[in-house]
């Protein structure tokens, strides 16, 4: 059984003010070409299909194009929602789509959708577990003791039947303890979303979404495939890949990764203004790439952002590294608010307004309030 593992498409995402839809369509078309060559038995989409719960129309159209192309190839698709998706919107028309081989996890009600496939080695059961928060599981199972992500996932997974000789594949969207994060990921306060890898022990392959770097967590068959594109400059040095999982006899899972090539790359550029504007410097790479430039000049360059965009049209950020900035003074475009947690942003705001740091009691109150608001968003 050959399965393609994808996640975290984040369709509709923007990199600062730049829309990535053209880049996303390019990489999805490339993925479709690779899938056509691999001829898999199924495609697993492990959440964060969209970047926002209410995605722009162009993002919905792009996902529709992708699913239609897969359905035209008669390749089954298995989809779960992530923390960026609206479970209700993503599941709309799920029963109708299953007639074309597109299986979408319904809004969690205590049951986990299962789809059965067969190959020469026997039966493979695909289990679709949507992104879960404690409040959602507590409500669905009517159990008061579920007050953590660990307890919520353990309760949900314990109700998934995996007995017998069939091979079992779980598609899920959670943060497993021990995995590495990137700056482009949504980071909850206090690391409260951690789930131990042992929760997923009974599955032959676990196709995870949520983290943007391709990686295994403990065993080889418990994996994040990562994003198909780079979504933050912390990922500039990564190579994005398409994950192929082949299930043979029970317990025999083989993993391959196919390289993906973006329309535009993400690059970090560093040097003085004279250095980064020298033709011999910028002609070494694609000038259409998305660029983060750090200037080392001691004096700010007047209208530096506008001047540099003549050479680097997709310059997303301009920062300075000099005596002034190392002394703690702000810089031009050098702070990416999307890379900071809500708590960190609120702490900075409080300190600027009150000329003093928050107390431990105030910090704990804000942390609890943010978590409560987040849980409310998922209901």
């Amino acid at each position: 059984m050959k399965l393609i593992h994808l996640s975290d498409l984040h369709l509709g995402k923007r990199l600062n003010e730049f829309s990535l839809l053209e880049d996303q369509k390019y990489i999805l078309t490339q993925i479709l070409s690779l899938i056509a060559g691999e001829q898999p038995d199924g495609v697993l989409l492990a959440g964060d299909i969209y970047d926002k719960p209410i995605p722009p129309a162009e993002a919905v159209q792009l996902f529709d194009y992708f699913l239609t192309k897969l359905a035209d190839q008669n390749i089954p698709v298995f989809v779960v929602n992530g923390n960026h998706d609206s479970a209700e919107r993503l599941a709309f028309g799920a029963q109708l789509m299953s007639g074309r081989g597109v299986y979408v996890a319904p809004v969690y009600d205590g049951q986990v959708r299962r789809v059965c496939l067969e190959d020469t080695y026997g039966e493979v059961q695909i289990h679709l577990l949507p992104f879960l928060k404690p409040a959602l599981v507590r409500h669905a199972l009517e159990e008061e003791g579920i007050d953590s992500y660990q307890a919520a996932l353990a309760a949900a997974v314990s109700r998934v039947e995996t007995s017998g000789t069939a091979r079992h594949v779980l598609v899920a969207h959670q943060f497993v303890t021990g995995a590495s994060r990137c700056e482009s990921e949504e980071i909850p306060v206090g690391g409260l979303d951690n789930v131990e890898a042992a929760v997923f022990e009974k599955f032959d392959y676990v196709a995870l979404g949520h983290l943007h770097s391709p990686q295994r967590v403990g065993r080889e068959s418990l994996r994040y495939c990562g994003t198909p594109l780079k979504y933050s400059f912390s990922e500039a040095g990564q190579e994005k890949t398409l994950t192929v999982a082949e299930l043979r006899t029970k317990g025999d899972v083989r993993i391959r990764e196919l390289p993906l090539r973006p329309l535009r790359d993400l690059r970090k550029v560093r040097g003085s203004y004279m250095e980064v504007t020298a033709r011999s410097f910028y002609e070494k790479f694609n000038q259409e790439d998305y660029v983060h430039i750090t200037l080392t000049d001691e004096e700010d360059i007047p209208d530096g952002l506008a001047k540099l965009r003549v050479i680097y049209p997709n310059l997303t950020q301009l920062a300075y590294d000099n005596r002034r900035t190392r002394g703690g003074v702000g810089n031009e475009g050098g702070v990416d608010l999307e890379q900071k947690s809500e708590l960190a942003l609120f702490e900075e705001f409080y300190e600027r307004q009150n000329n003093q740091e928050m107390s431990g009691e105030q910090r704990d109150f804000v942390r609890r309030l943010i978590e409560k608001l987040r849980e409310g968003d998922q209901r």
Side-chain angles (χ1 to χ4, degrees):
M1 180 72 63
K2 183 190 291 187
L3 300 170
I4 299 291
H5 175 188
L6 279 168
S7 78
D8 296 88
L9 305 181
H10 287 279
L11 301 179
K13 186 174 178 63
R14 303 182 72 86
L15 189 64
N16 288 354
E17 72 265 38
F18 294 94
S19 169
L20 298 179
L21 271 170
E22 184 183 9
D23 304 80
Q24 290 173 330
K25 183 170 185 179
Y26 180 89
I27 207 69
L28 287 183
T29 302
Q30 187 178 139
I31 289 170
L32 286 169
S33 178
L34 290 171
I35 289 173
E38 287 288 329
Q39 285 297 296
D41 299 290
V43 173
L44 313 177
L45 283 169
D48 279 358
I49 307 304
Y50 300 113
D51 193 54
K52 302 291 183 185
I54 305 177
E58 296 84 359
V60 177
Q61 290 166 0
L62 180 55
F63 189 48
D64 178 66
Y65 158 81
F66 185 63
L67 289 181
T68 301
K69 290 295 185 182
L70 290 174
D72 288 345
Q73 295 182 54
N74 295 315
I75 298 174
V77 186
F78 305 91
V79 187
V80 303
N81 66 281
N83 56 301
H84 281 249
D85 300 311
S86 163
E88 294 81 5
R89 287 186 175 87
L90 199 61
F92 175 78
Q95 292 187 26
L96 188 64
M97 287 191 291
S98 64
R100 290 292 307 276
V102 178
Y103 304 95
V104 182
V107 177
Y108 185 71
D109 61 358
Q111 302 295 317
V112 175
R113 186 174 188 179
R114 180 184 65 181
V115 182
C116 295
L117 302 177
E118 286 198 13
D119 63 6
T120 55
Y121 297 104
E123 188 176 83
V124 175
Q125 296 186 3
I126 313 290
H127 305 274
L128 305 180
L129 184 68
F131 176 70
L132 297 180
K133 281 200 166 190
L136 179 60
V137 180
R138 187 166 56 244
H139 174 75
L141 301 182
E142 298 182 350
E143 294 184 10
E144 291 300 322
I146 299 173
D147 56 0
S148 68
Y149 280 83
Q150 176 71 22
L153 267 293
V157 167
S158 70
R159 287 162 172 77
V160 178
E161 177 59 51
T162 58
S163 60
T165 59
R167 289 153 293 163
H168 296 273
V169 173
L170 181 71
V171 187
H173 190 94
Q174 302 290 159
F175 175 55
V176 180
T177 304
S180 301
R181 292 186 185 271
C182 292
E183 290 177 352
S184 57
E185 297 152 9
E186 190 173 278
I187 302 176
V189 290
L192 299 176
D193 60 343
N194 290 20
V195 177
E196 295 295 328
V199 169
F200 307 110
E201 189 64 34
K202 64 183 182 178
F203 298 99
D204 297 275
Y205 183 76
V206 183
L208 290 167
H210 193 37
L211 301 189
H212 292 186
S213 300
Q215 57 191 292
R216 55 182 280 183
V217 188
R219 61 187 169 104
E220 187 71 15
S221 56
L222 180 64
R223 300 186 69 84
Y224 290 97
C225 61
T227 54
L229 289 173
K230 300 172 186 179
Y231 287 137
S232 76
F233 286 97
S234 66
E235 302 166 59
Q238 287 185 12
E239 181 179 41
K240 295 301 184 179
T241 57
L242 184 69
T243 300
V244 183
E246 295 188 48
L247 285 71
R248 302 192 180 185
T249 57
K250 192 169 179 66
D252 184 2
V253 181
R254 306 185 186 188
I255 309 297
R256 289 185 290 119
E257 293 180 330
L258 306 177
L260 295 172
R261 299 288 176 248
L263 178 64
R264 304 176 184 89
D265 209 342
L266 265 68
R267 296 185 182 276
K268 289 183 177 180
V269 174
R270 178 183 176 87
S272 68
Y273 181 78
M274 292 298 292
E275 288 171 334
V276 303
T277 55
R279 181 182 295 272
S280 59
F281 184 91
Y282 64 74
E283 283 189 342
K284 291 185 292 187
F285 53 86
N286 180 8
Q287 289 170 247
E288 295 294 319
D289 288 346
Y290 298 106
V291 179
H292 176 293
I293 295 180
T294 300
L295 293 180
T296 56
D297 303 85
E298 287 300 328
E299 298 296 329
D300 287 8
I301 305 300
D303 297 320
L305 197 65
K307 289 177 179 176
L308 286 168
R309 277 185 173 161
V310 174
I311 302 172
Y312 304 95
N314 292 322
L315 171 59
T316 66
Q317 264 185 287
L318 174 61
Y320 285 88
D321 182 11
N322 52 30
R323 285 194 297 270
R324 173 178 62 81
T325 59
R326 288 192 290 271
V329 182
N331 55 33
E332 182 183 357
V335 177
D336 186 352
L337 300 182
E338 291 186 1
Q339 296 178 6
K340 296 191 176 185
S341 68
E342 294 95 332
L343 180 60
L345 290 169
F346 192 89
E347 285 180 311
E348 289 184 7
F349 173 75
Y350 181 92
E351 188 171 343
R352 289 181 183 179
Q353 292 295 311
N354 298 281
N355 239 356
Q356 62 181 10
E357 294 183 357
M358 294 172 63
S359 67
E361 184 178 354
Q362 289 171 322
R363 191 175 294 107
D364 288 341
F365 173 79
V366 174
R367 182 184 290 112
R368 291 193 300 270
L369 179 61
I370 292 171
E371 189 63 26
K372 185 176 179 181
L373 290 170
R374 283 194 168 197
E375 286 197 5
D377 286 342
Q378 296 298 319
R379 293 178 182 174

